[in-house]
Amino acid sequence: MAEATDPTLLGQIVRSFLNDSRTGLVTLRQAAAGDAECLRQTAHGLRGMCASVGAERMRVNCQELEALGTSGTVAGAWELLDRLQNEFQRAEAELDAVLHEDSAP
Amino acid sequence: MKILVAEDMTTARLILDMTLKKLGHDVVATSDGEEAWQAFRQSAFPLVITDWQMPKVEGPELCRRIRAQATAKYTYILMLTSLDSKPEYMAAIDAGADDFLIKPFDEDILAARLRVAERIGGLLSEMQQLQGLLPICPTCKKIRDEQDQWTRLEDYVTTRLQAAVTPSRCPQCQAARSESDRTLRSKLEHVRRDFRKTPQGPSAPDRGSD
């Protein structure tokens, strides 16, 4: 993640990442039901964001989902989504810890 | 430098905003292409950093709108995107972007690209100033054009402004012209009077014998 010198800003970025990821996962699950274009667009947006904060494994998962959407299919999206969800939960746990440290006096 | 940012993902926007401010720039951050376009129309920006995929107006369309807008100074556009293939790079440049950076950006590389943007902006301003200085001949008033050719002022203006030149005297020239006409009429009157006084007309100058 880019070095954030302002602790308030660091917290803001972490919270924003968690919110964007949660919203993105919900949209991806809806898209996996049959909307390949939505799958591509949402995965693309999440990929850029994950890259920005250095969430590398999530970024790779998003890239695979984006490739799926680009090829015009949603077949196999659920499996990829489960992997992305797992990676997000791991990242969430780590980042929650960062937020607690950040808000500690 | 005053920078307009267009990025729809909050996290990416916050990180970019933070980095640019840390590098000493003034940042106006917007969350989609349309919002960025409205901000651009209200105020000139020497630099725009835009994402590609955004709601409402996407990055390439924002580039096209900026390029179509007549501005006093050039706006340098940097496309910052996770789309990283050659066709996308080409499409961004064709749409009017000057530079292309792939996410995640490296802070030092971004800072270097911004220095290039500042350098190019400075050169363009200097060029505009130099273009404002027209070499003009003090005697015949011809102007030296970009091809180093001396052109009549009327032709130069007609070509550059796409407007026809209509002869029309300014008040000072009109007054001088009237004065000159009066002097000429007066002289003619004198000649006519001299001619009437002498039956053979005024004495012809001695041209000598052939």
Side-chain angles (χ1 to χ4, degrees):
Chain A
M1 193 188 292
E3 185 196 346
T5 46
D6 178 357
T8 323
L9 192 60
L10 175 69
Q12 217 180 325
I13 290 169
V14 169
R15 273 186 288 274
S16 160
F17 171 74
L18 295 174
N19 285 339
D20 282 347
S21 298
R22 285 184 198 114
T23 312
L25 278 163
V26 170
T27 312
L28 283 173
R29 290 204 175 277
Q30 287 165 350
D35 190 343
E37 177 54 19
C38 180
L39 190 78
R40 184 192 68 77
Q41 277 190 10
T42 311
H44 171 82
L46 277 179
R47 173 160 76 93
M49 183 187 69
C50 293
S52 300
V53 298
E56 186 54 23
R57 281 192 294 265
M58 280 182 72
R59 186 195 66 77
V60 172
N61 291 150
C62 290
Q63 192 168 13
E64 288 167 348
L65 279 163
E66 187 184 347
L68 205 62
T70 305
S71 62
T73 180
V74 293
W78 291 109
E79 193 190 328
L80 290 172
L81 263 168
D82 286 343
R83 269 196 262 160
L84 178 62
Q85 182 74 47
N86 288 338
E87 287 302 336
F88 173 64
Q89 279 164 353
R90 288 173 55 164
E92 193 178 29
E94 282 179 35
L95 290 170
D96 272 340
V98 170
L99 280 179
H100 284 300
E101 280 171 30
D102 191 40
S103 58
Chain B
M1 189 166 30
K2 198 173 150 197
I3 302 176
L4 175 64
V5 166
E7 168 63 66
D8 62 322
M9 297 300 285
T10 316
T11 313
R13 191 169 63 244
L14 279 170
I15 292 173
L16 183 57
D17 183 70
M18 176 195 77
T19 309
L20 292 172
K21 283 177 178 161
K22 204 169 89 178
L23 292 169
H25 300 287
D26 294 327
V27 184
V28 174
T30 59
S31 56
D32 61 62
E34 179 58 35
E35 200 188 323
W37 173 237
Q38 294 308 328
F40 184 82
R41 288 179 68 191
Q42 282 169 18
S43 171
F45 289 87
L47 180 71
V48 173
I49 300 180
T50 179
D51 185 18
W52 184 300
Q53 288 193 358
M54 290 181 289
K56 298 176 189 169
V57 173
E58 294 203 323
E61 175 58 19
L62 179 63
C63 290
R64 279 188 283 273
R65 289 188 186 184
I66 290 171
R67 290 290 170 250
Q69 175 98 337
T71 51
K73 287 196 172 175
Y74 187 75
T75 297
Y76 193 91
I77 306 176
L78 194 158
M79 184 83 77
L80 180 61
T81 174
S82 356
L83 297 171
D84 52 4
S85 71
K86 184 179 166 184
E88 280 134 7
Y89 175 84
M90 301 307 287
I93 300 299
D94 285 346
D98 297 291
D99 200 0
F100 193 92
L101 209 52
I102 296 161
K103 289 178 189 171
F105 64 83
D106 177 277
E107 190 180 313
D108 293 334
I109 298 288
L110 177 69
R113 299 288 181 90
L114 297 183
R115 283 203 297 277
V116 171
E118 277 183 297
R119 204 179 296 155
I120 290 176
L123 285 170
L124 288 170
S125 293
E126 206 175 305
M127 200 173 81
Q128 278 177 328
Q129 282 171 359
L130 287 172
Q131 280 176 341
L133 299 172
L134 286 177
I136 186 164
C137 170
T139 310
C140 70
K141 308 296 179 207
K142 277 185 181 169
I143 286 172
R144 194 177 65 214
D145 64 17
E146 300 83 0
Q147 282 80 43
D148 214 20
Q149 299 294 314
W150 288 94
T151 317
R152 288 192 320 137
L153 179 63
E154 296 91 320
D155 295 339
Y156 188 89
V157 171
T158 307
T159 320
R160 300 305 184 288
L161 301 183
Q162 307 282 307
V165 176
T166 308
S168 178
R169 283 195 191 90
C170 70
Q172 287 85 355
C173 290
Q174 185 58 48
R177 171 85 182 211
S178 303
E179 181 56 33
S180 162
D181 285 353
R182 273 195 296 277
T183 312
L184 185 65
R185 274 197 297 274
S186 160
K187 276 186 181 164
L188 276 172
E189 195 54 38
H190 278 295
V191 172
R192 235 180 258 138
R193 261 183 273 158
D194 287 350
F195 201 81
R196 282 192 209 109
K197 280 180 200 162
T198 318
Q200 298 86 353
S203 54
D206 182 12
R207 290 181 184 164
S209 57
D210 294 331

